[in-house]
Structure formats: structure tokens, C-alpha cells
Amino acid sequence: MRNLFIIISTRVTQNMYTRYSKAIDKNLVFISDKSPMINESNIYHYSNNAELIKKGFTGMHNKYNITAWDKAFYFISQHCNENNEYENYWIIEDDCYINDKEFSNLADSYNTNMSDLLCFGWKLKYTIKEHRTWVHWKRRYIDGKHSNKTYFDEIDTEGAITQLVRLSNDCVNEILKFKDKYNRFIFHELLFTSIANASKLTSELIRVNTIKLCAEEKNSIIYKKYPDKDNKYIISEFEKLNYVVVHPFKKWYDN
């Protein structure tokens, strides 16, 4: 299966580049929202934010006009999408620790899984009453008058944690069609699952003990178990416990 791995970051650094490249040795690109600190052929930086916003590559963050999330889909639209070069796109936020000895095996283990969307962590269906307290059903974006959930029928509206996500080429195409229709995206944690549901694509929630994802630091395994430990110690513990992905772990590559 042809997979492309995309690391999205505010600014790519040398340590970040080195550690992710060690874990993923092929089909790897980096999207640097701000000018990267190093120059490599697989680091992409788009400086003309105004032009990208004009083209509709905006809105994937719940607070900022444009981020590396939006630019990742611009990259795909420019470099990959038309030729169907890849079957799946793994998108990984740069505060996701990945185990350089185990991550490739984990990704390969899903090569026979044909789902259009793989999420790792949790999902929230809007139709379930107790889920309706989730803050992201309403936009906190610059044009706060809009509501995220109004773009989809209630039965299709769903949120999911997406710091690590795998999207099929078909799912990416539907996301870009949404952008073409509205000249914008909406918050990625709501967009991907809702798109999959509305487009009758297949999706799956993966829950395994080796992947620990949560949205807020206060709920993270690092905050609860290792609040006073340095990165080197924490990573050594993760390796002993065979954790493959942990979020949030900011600047985990600096140790």
C-alpha cells in the first residue's frame, strides 16, 4: 500500500526533522507553517498566507486563520492528488511522540485495512446527548458566527481526536470538494469524521494500548505519571512500555 506520511509543524527544526526521519525512512514530508530552521527537499513552507486563504485553504484550526493543517492539504492538492500517487495519507502533529523502532511496524500493520479513515483515540457523535457539551460544535474561529455542525446533517456530524490520522485518497478528495464548495475548511477534529459519514466512506476508530492520545496536557500520561521528568527519561519509559505514539508531548525530540 502506498502511504505518504506528513508531519505538520509550526516550524520544523533540525531535531524534529532528525527524529521523525529516523522513525519514517521513506515517503515522508514536513509542512512548516513558519519558515523552517533548516532546508531539506522534503520540507515544504508556503509563505503567502493571504493567497492560500483566498483559495480556501483556511479554517482547519479552531482559532487561527491558517496553519500547517490547511497547508498540508494545499501540498496534497498540488503534489499528490491528481495522479492518485498515494493510497493513504498519514498526518501527524509534531507534538506526537513516535517510537522510532516501532512506528513503521504499526503503520504497516494497517496496510490490509481498507477503511477510508482511521482515527486513534475517541469519537463523539452529535446525536448522542451527552456529547453535545463538546466545545467544538460551535466555531471559535475568527468568524465566530458560524457553527461547525451546521455544515452536515446531524446524523453525520461527528468529532474525533486527529493528532494522528490516516486518510484515504478518496477521503482527501471529499475534503477538497468541501473546500471547493465553501471556500474554506472547518475544524479538522470535526471535518474528517463528518465528511466520511456524509460521503458514505468507511471509517474506523482504533483503540490499542500502545497509542495514548488525548487533547489536553492535564489528561496526558506524561502529566499524570512523569510531571517532573526530562524527555530522555520519559522516552526511555515509553520504550520499555512499548508505547508507539503519545500525544501531547511537545518538543519530545529535544533530548
Side-chain angles (χ1 to χ4, degrees):
M1 183 168 284
R2 301 186 305 278
N3 294 308
L4 181 68
F5 299 90
I6 303 174
I7 309 299
I8 58 172
S9 174
T10 300
R11 175 176 280 122
V12 176
T13 68
Q14 180 66 68
N15 287 349
M16 181 194 305
Y17 184 86
T18 299
R19 291 304 296 268
Y20 280 110
S21 298
K22 184 178 181 182
I24 306 168
D25 61 0
K26 60 183 178 180
N27 297 342
L28 173 65
V29 300
F30 295 77
I31 306 297
S32 188
D33 185 27
K34 298 180 180 178
S35 182
M37 298 182 70
I38 58 171
N39 292 316
E40 297 288 349
S41 61
N42 61 337
I43 299 176
Y44 292 83
H45 167 62
Y46 303 103
S47 59
N48 193 340
N49 286 352
E51 183 63 23
L52 265 64
I53 292 171
K54 184 178 179 181
K55 293 178 178 179
F57 291 92
T58 180
M60 277 206 178
H61 197 276
N62 66 334
K63 187 166 60 174
Y64 301 109
N65 260 339
I66 186 168
T67 68
W69 270 107
D70 305 285
K71 294 176 182 182
F73 281 84
Y74 181 74
F75 164 82
I76 292 171
S77 73
Q78 296 297 300
H79 294 273
C80 314
N81 193 243
E82 289 186 1
N83 299 324
N84 294 332
E85 184 177 355
Y86 298 100
E87 294 172 88
N88 290 303
Y89 300 87
W90 290 80
I91 304 180
I92 306 168
E93 291 187 350
D94 71 355
D95 54 351
C96 284
Y97 156 80
I98 63 175
N99 186 321
D100 57 33
K101 300 179 181 66
E102 300 293 339
F103 181 77
S104 290
N105 291 333
L106 175 112
D108 288 346
S109 72
Y110 293 104
N111 279 345
T112 57
N113 186 315
M114 297 295 110
S115 293
D116 291 291
L117 173 65
L118 295 183
C119 296
F120 301 82
W122 48 256
K123 285 185 179 183
L124 298 172
K125 289 288 290 185
Y126 184 73
T127 51
I128 298 177
K129 185 177 179 180
E130 53 265 36
H131 290 171
R132 294 194 180 188
T133 58
W134 192 46
V135 67
H136 298 302
W137 300 127
K138 295 183 179 180
R139 292 192 70 84
R140 292 191 294 161
Y141 188 58
I142 193 169
D143 62 350
K145 63 183 179 181
H146 291 286
S147 175
N148 275 323
K149 65 182 177 60
T150 58
Y151 289 90
F152 300 98
D153 292 339
E154 284 193 2
I155 192 65
D156 295 323
T157 303
E158 190 171 26
I161 196 168
T162 53
Q163 286 85 10
L164 168 73
V165 66
R166 193 193 78 175
L167 305 164
S168 73
N169 195 61
D170 287 342
C171 193
V172 166
N173 282 335
E174 293 300 327
I175 291 167
L176 291 172
K177 287 178 185 177
F178 180 96
K179 189 272 303 178
D180 291 341
K181 181 177 180 179
Y182 296 106
N183 199 40
R184 67 184 306 162
F185 298 116
I186 59 172
F187 186 41
H188 55 85
E189 288 188 6
L190 193 149
L191 178 61
F192 298 162
T193 45
S194 300
I195 280 280
N197 294 336
S199 303
K200 309 303 181 188
L201 298 175
T202 55
S203 66
E204 186 174 344
L205 177 62
I206 306 294
R207 286 178 172 165
V208 293
N209 291 331
T210 57
I211 298 177
K212 303 291 184 182
L213 303 182
C214 64
E216 298 181 355
E217 182 182 3
K218 67 181 181 180
N219 297 324
S220 72
I221 188 172
I222 296 172
Y223 183 84
K224 292 179 177 178
K225 294 187 67 174
Y226 313 109
D228 302 317
K229 302 298 184 181
D230 61 27
N231 287 3
K232 187 174 183 179
Y233 176 88
I234 295 170
I235 289 173
S236 69
E237 290 297 298
F238 285 176
E239 290 176 347
K240 291 176 187 176
L241 295 167
N242 294 319
Y243 290 153
V244 182
V245 183
V246 179
H247 175 277
F249 191 173
K250 293 185 181 299
K251 298 185 178 180
W252 64 273
Y253 36 78
D254 292 337
N255 66 74

